[in-house]
Every structure is written in structure tokens, then in C-alpha cells.
Amino acid sequence: MSTAPAPKTPLGKLSAWNDLKQHAEELRGKHLRELFASDAARGEKFRVEAEGIYLDYAKNRITDKTMQLLLELAAQSGLRERIDAMFRGEKINITEDRAVLHVALRAPKSASIKVDGEDVVPEVHTVLDRMSAFADRLRSGEWKGHTGKPIKNVINIGIGGSDLGPVMAYEALRHYSRRDMNFRFVSNVDGTDFAEATHDLSADETLFIVSSKTFTTLETMTNAQTARKWALESLKDESAIARHFVAVSTNAAEVTKFGIDTANMFGFWDWVGGRYSMDSAIGLSTMLAVGPENFRRLLAGFHTMDEHFRTAPFEQNLPVIMGLLSVWYNDFFDAQTVAVLPYEQYLKRFPAYLQQLTMESNGKHVTLGGETVSYQTGPVYWGEPGTNGQHSFYQLIHQGTKLIPCDFIGFGKTLNPLGNHHDLLMANVFAQSEALAFGKTAEEVKAEGVADWLVPHKVFEGNRPSNTLLLKELTPEALGKLIALYEHIVFTQGTVWQVNSFDQWGVELGKVLAKKIAGELAAPADLQHDSSTNTLITRYKQLRG
Ligand code: G6Q
């Protein structure tokens, strides 16, 4: 789309928005204790179970009316139409003139999704089949390094969307991964990242996957060149590159320039955003770790959630409900952040992954129509796996001055049954959400015989909202469902806020300036920045000697 989009009714003018504003005032003084006391069946009412995910959202500051108004807001925001437009392959990423079709990456062979009149599903499966064939060869030892040894170490070089998904998925699916192989990830242009990833490896058993949609990203290209040098130092033969480097990119010309044969390149498309690409060829490291079969199970999980999002009525639609609840706190209760708290060690990188997904997508202050918003958009997402967080930042969630809605994630079964560890872990999930919601009154504290002066310190106000997601077990399918759930939460939020969740112009300026300053650091330069930046550059030059 080269012209501006048709104007939409501004969010502030939607009747549901204004009704919610008023309704929030009615609810502001209400405590979750009262809401539970007035409805004994609340816990059975505000819950949804779909596709193997149980969502309890009863511990939110909501009533039937809240949900009705939020669902009305979704309708007035055109959420249904926008979901359909995405799945139809329309170019809803208007500022980059691109379709948004990560959902096509996990569509079954029988599906048909068209971009500019062309069905993209067959191409998706061609790449998946090539990845699978490569993974089988590598994992079986048939693919040999330059000196004839099988590959034992795989290093993904990529950053942002070409790193966070692969790292998170590798950690999440470690249980299913090849334990006799090493998988490492180099993203930072800080040389320490590369040095630490390679210090104990030998090049003749190592494969580098250079993952970059554009194949021009400074960090990735710098690390890839360093990897090339590192490999050649011991392999001493240019022809070795073909056995030790593969590329994942949309840019065949740059891949060839780097010296990687396009036969060893796995492609994807401009309709896959970086932060939505872990299930494209960017997931090659994941597939090498867990095998093609498990990778397809992961995709099947994504697809199940896609279909749920596309077809389930909004009142039973997990991403819609969770997306709307986050809008509720973000816009009507001044909540600045959302904590995601997985009680599953394997999901330790899930919050970090979600930071990019959510904040790069909805960290925008201009609507699709180019207007500056008059309301809050994307909250800060953060978190740590439980129970570790309980012994660090939960204090602030329980007794601080900020409202922090929490998403708890737990599983019925652990992949590592050890004594009663899992019951203890899950006891903490339930205890935390209960404590956050109901707190502890001054009377209760006093009844424990606490001295009067100490009572206020020991009171828990409560009324802190949370969602709890329960799944049976962390399988590849479950992981796919969870990721797609959050992708579609982001979509729901972005639709309500009328922002483009699929561009990221905000990362551009820093990149351009860094390039300029890199030139100034490489050679004597007449510094023309502000006085602070000039002084910092000069001081750095002194420090480095
Ligand atoms: C994600 C962003 C960004 C991107 C990285 C890496 O949505 O676009 O995080 O993934 O900048 O880009 P390349 O894959 O092109 O190297």
C-alpha cells in the first residue's frame, strides 16, 4: 500500500472504550475478596479450556460486565475482520507493504494461503522438507565436516528475531534434544560472545548456521566473518566453508557473496517478521537439536492455536481474552508492565523471548493512520521462571506501589520427576496467585499476635490480578501453542490500539548512528555530535589506548 490507509474511528471515540472508562471507575474500589465473596462460582465462570490449555482468569478485577464490554471493544475495533485479513494474506503491515503470514509457516500441506495471488504453502513445505533432509543427514553423521568427522557442535549466529526464538526453543525443548551434541548461540557483537561459544570446540566438528533475514545485520555479519576466520585458522582450506557453514536468509545474493553455496541456504520470505520467524528456517538449529519429527510437532502446536484464534468465538478465545485483559489494566488501571512467570525451568528464556515479541510489536505511539495516540500502548513484559522470582522481585508485586498483572504458567506433569519437587513447585504457583489476589488483612495479621507497630508492614493489600495457564506437559506441541498464544495476544492488543504490530522503525536510528560512529572510531575524525557524545567518544579512545 503506497497510500495512507482509510481513516478508522479513533479508539477514544468508540462507545465500548468510553463505557470501559466509566466501568473502570465503578470497579476501582472493589476488592477481589468482594468479587469472590459475591459469586461462589466465580472460579468456574472465568475460565476457558481450549486445545489443551486451561486458562483461569477469575483472579482479575473483572465482572460479567467487564468481559462484555471488553468483547464489545474487540468487535468495535474490527478484530474479526483484521484476523481474517491476516489469514487471507492481505498486506496488513502497511508501513513495510508486506503481508503478515507467520501462520502460513505452520499451515498443513493441504492449506492454501495466497500472497499476491500465489499460494505460499507449497514453498513453505519445500523448505521444511529440505531442512528435514539436511537435519537427518547431519544428525545421522552422514554429513561430514571437512576432515571427515561428523558434526558435534552447532552454533547459530544471529540476533534479535534470528536468535531469541532459537535460543528459547532450544532451552524449552532440551529434554527432546540430542544430548551428544552441543548447541550454542552467538548474537552479541561483543567478541566475548563468540569467544566463549567456541573456546572449547574444534572447528572440524562444528557447523555454523548464519541466520539473518537480511544478511546485512552488522552484529551477525561481524560474527559470521569472525567464525569464518576461526574455522579457516584450523581447517586452512576455503573449500571447508561449504561443509561448516549454512545460511538461513531471504537474501541469496548476500549469502553467495559471503561464500556460502545457495545449495546450503534455507530461505524464508519477506512476509515473515523477524520476531515471528522461529518456526521458519530460522528454526533450523531447533530442528537439528530435536529432530524433524519434533519440529513438526512444534509447528502442529502453533497451527492448533492459529486455528483456535481464527475460529473460536471471542468469549472462548484464549488470545482474545488475554489480550483484552492486558488492555484493561494497561489503559484503565495504569499498569505499566506484565510479568510472565513460567513455573517450568525449561521455559527460562520464554520471558526474554516475549520481551521482543511484545515490545518490538506494540511499542508504538503512532496509529496506523499516523496519529499520535492519546492512550497507553504496549506494556513492558518481563519475568523469570518460578520459584526463583519469588525470592527476588515478587516482593514488589505483593507489597509495592505498582500494579503488575501476572501470567502464571504451570504444567500438570514434569519431564523430570524427582521426589515431590513438582508438587512443591506447583504449590507455589497456586499460593502466589492466591496471595496476590486475597492478601492478608490487618485483622488477620493482628490475630497472629503481631505487635501493633509491625502490623502495617505485614499486611498484604491483595487485589493484585493474575491469569493462570495450565497445560499437561511441556511437549513440542505445547510449546508451539504457548508461543502462538502470545503472538495472537500481541495481535489482539495491537488491533485495539490501532498500531502496526509488524514493523520496527524504532530500531533504525541507533543502527544508522552506530555505523557512523564505528567509522569515527576506526580513524581519526572530526566529531560532530552533541557535546556529551563527543566527550564520550574521546574518552573511550583514551581508555582503549
Ligand atoms: C524482528 C526484528 C529484528 C531482527 C534482527 C535481525 O522482528 O526485525 O529483531 O530480527 O534485527 O535481523 P536479520 O535477521 O535481518 O539479521
Side-chain angles (χ1 to χ4, degrees):
M1 187 188 290
S2 48
T3 52
K8 276 193 82 165
T9 308
L11 180 53
K13 295 246 157 69
L14 296 181
S15 63
W17 184 261
N18 289 303
D19 292 347
L20 279 162
K21 232 186 218 169
Q22 226 181 352
H23 175 63
E25 290 318 309
E26 289 160 25
L27 267 191
R28 208 168 295 286
K30 272 243 171 354
H31 198 288
L32 276 165
R33 283 186 214 120
E34 290 171 67
L35 294 174
F36 270 85
S38 63
D39 181 358
R42 187 178 166 90
E44 280 111 62
K45 182 157 66 181
F46 293 121
R47 63 175 183 176
V48 196
E49 185 153 24
E51 312 302 352
I53 300 186
Y54 180 91
L55 165 67
D56 176 314
Y57 61 102
K59 294 191 184 85
N60 279 290
R61 291 161 74 167
I62 55 168
T63 60
D64 289 326
K65 185 173 169 194
T66 322
M67 290 317 293
Q68 181 206 321
L69 288 175
L70 285 171
L71 291 166
E72 182 55 34
L73 177 66
Q76 290 181 12
S77 298
L79 180 59
R80 167 63 56 216
E81 295 76 11
R82 202 161 158 82
I83 293 173
D84 290 344
M86 171 170 74
F87 278 86
R88 262 199 312 271
E90 277 179 32
K91 298 194 174 173
I92 60 169
N93 176 1
I94 55 168
T95 59
E96 295 182 329
D97 196 22
R98 287 176 183 163
V100 173
L101 274 183
H102 40 282
V103 293
L105 298 170
R106 49 265 192 156
K109 256 190 183 133
S110 54
S112 163
I113 301 176
K114 292 189 175 158
V115 178
D116 292 329
E118 215 170 292
D119 190 357
V120 298
V121 177
E123 301 174 55
V124 166
H125 283 271
T126 303
V127 174
L128 268 175
D129 291 343
R130 284 189 58 227
M131 287 165 66
S132 304
F134 176 69
D136 284 338
R137 286 182 69 196
L138 191 118
R139 288 162 58 88
S140 68
E142 184 195 325
W143 175 283
K144 301 251 180 330
H146 185 63
T147 62
K149 287 190 181 167
I151 297 296
K152 247 177 56 188
N153 317 308
V154 174
I155 301 187
N156 185 74
I157 298 180
I159 195 163
S162 301
D163 168 67
L164 287 159
V167 175
M168 180 273 288
Y170 172 63
E171 291 297 341
L173 298 179
R174 216 170 233 252
H175 178 80
Y176 303 87
S177 74
R178 277 283 292 265
R179 302 300 188 138
D180 57 342
M181 292 175 74
N182 295 307
F183 291 87
R184 295 188 184 164
F185 301 83
V186 174
S187 55
N188 201 333
V189 74
D190 184 336
T192 300
D193 207 6
F194 183 86
E196 284 296 332
T198 49
H199 83 280
D200 56 345
L201 306 184
S202 49
D204 59 351
E205 296 174 318
T206 302
L207 178 87
F208 290 97
I209 306 173
V210 185
S211 296
S212 176
K213 183 174 167 181
T214 55
F215 230 72
T216 56
T217 305
L218 175 96
E219 291 88 339
T220 302
M221 289 305 111
T222 307
N223 278 319
Q225 290 296 351
T226 300
R228 194 177 204 286
K229 244 179 91 199
W230 178 82
L232 287 177
E233 256 160 36
S234 55
L235 298 172
K236 300 193 184 343
D237 183 349
E238 278 285 331
S239 71
I241 298 300
R243 310 303 303 168
H244 294 273
F245 282 78
V246 297
V248 177
S249 187
T250 57
N251 190 343
E254 285 297 323
V255 169
T256 310
K257 240 200 238 164
F258 181 85
I260 298 177
D261 189 340
T262 45
N264 297 336
M265 166 179 159
F266 301 89
F268 60 117
W269 305 271
D270 72 356
W271 40 262
V272 184
R275 56 193 173 276
Y276 296 88
S277 68
M278 58 161 290
D279 46 343
S280 71
I282 290 289
L284 183 62
S285 58
T286 315
M287 189 191 269
L288 293 178
V290 303
E293 189 59 31
N294 282 323
F295 192 78
R296 284 177 197 260
R297 290 174 61 194
L298 174 74
L299 297 185
F302 271 100
H303 179 65
T304 304
M305 184 53 67
D306 293 342
E307 283 304 284
H308 170 74
F309 183 51
R310 191 175 69 81
T311 60
F314 286 172
E315 65 274 15
Q316 285 155 35
N317 196 309
L318 294 163
V320 172
I321 293 171
M322 289 181 69
L324 291 172
L325 286 170
S326 64
V327 169
W328 176 234
Y329 296 116
N330 188 68
D331 291 283
F332 302 104
F333 287 83
D334 266 346
Q336 302 285 319
T337 79
V338 176
V340 179
L341 309 162
Y343 279 64
E344 168 55 69
Q345 184 65 17
Y346 284 124
L347 290 181
K348 66 179 180 196
R349 295 287 297 180
F350 193 55
Y353 169 78
L354 288 184
Q355 286 190 337
Q356 185 195 22
L357 177 67
T358 57
M359 296 201 267
E360 207 164 57
S361 296
N362 286 336
K364 315 280 162 73
H365 75 285
V366 171
T367 66
L368 287 159
E371 306 285 335
T372 299
V373 298
S374 55
Y375 43 84
Q376 288 290 311
T377 61
V380 174
Y381 274 76
W382 59 290
E384 279 288 324
T387 58
N388 300 10
Q390 288 171 212
H391 298 267
S392 92
F393 54 78
Y394 277 40
Q395 164 65 37
L396 185 147
I397 307 182
H398 281 288
Q399 287 189 312
T401 53
K402 294 181 170 54
L403 183 73
I404 302 182
C406 299
D407 290 350
F408 291 97
I409 303 172
F411 292 84
K413 291 172 91 161
T414 173
L415 293 165
N416 295 298
L418 279 179
N420 64 345
H421 281 241
H422 195 62
D423 278 350
L424 290 177
L425 176 73
M426 292 307 292
N428 277 282
V429 179
F430 307 132
Q432 288 299 323
S433 70
E434 190 178 11
L436 285 169
F438 301 103
K440 198 170 186 183
T441 62
E443 291 67 43
E444 286 166 338
V445 177
K446 272 185 208 151
E448 287 172 358
V450 173
D452 279 356
W453 69 271
L454 203 50
V455 169
H457 297 275
K458 296 203 163 192
V459 166
F460 285 63
E461 190 184 51
N463 215 14
R464 266 91 164 143
S466 66
N467 295 311
T468 302
L469 291 163
L470 291 179
L471 293 89
K472 180 149 189 200
E473 192 176 34
L474 181 54
T475 58
E477 289 91 343
L479 180 67
K481 287 177 201 174
L482 265 181
I483 300 166
L485 168 66
Y486 279 91
E487 285 178 349
H488 300 320
I489 288 172
V490 166
F491 186 94
T492 302
Q493 297 169 329
T495 300
V496 171
W497 293 323
Q498 303 186 359
V499 297
N500 183 359
S501 305
F502 304 104
D503 62 10
Q504 55 284 312
W505 299 108
V507 279
E508 290 305 313
L509 179 60
K511 277 193 195 175
V512 173
L513 289 179
K515 231 180 212 162
K516 179 167 181 253
I517 296 175
E520 292 166 350
L521 294 181
D526 174 23
L527 300 176
Q528 301 277 347
H529 304 270
D530 60 275
S531 57
S532 159
T533 311
N534 282 344
T535 314
L536 285 167
I537 294 173
T538 308
R539 178 52 63 98
Y540 167 68
K541 283 188 167 183
Q542 284 166 5
L543 285 172
R544 81 177 175 187

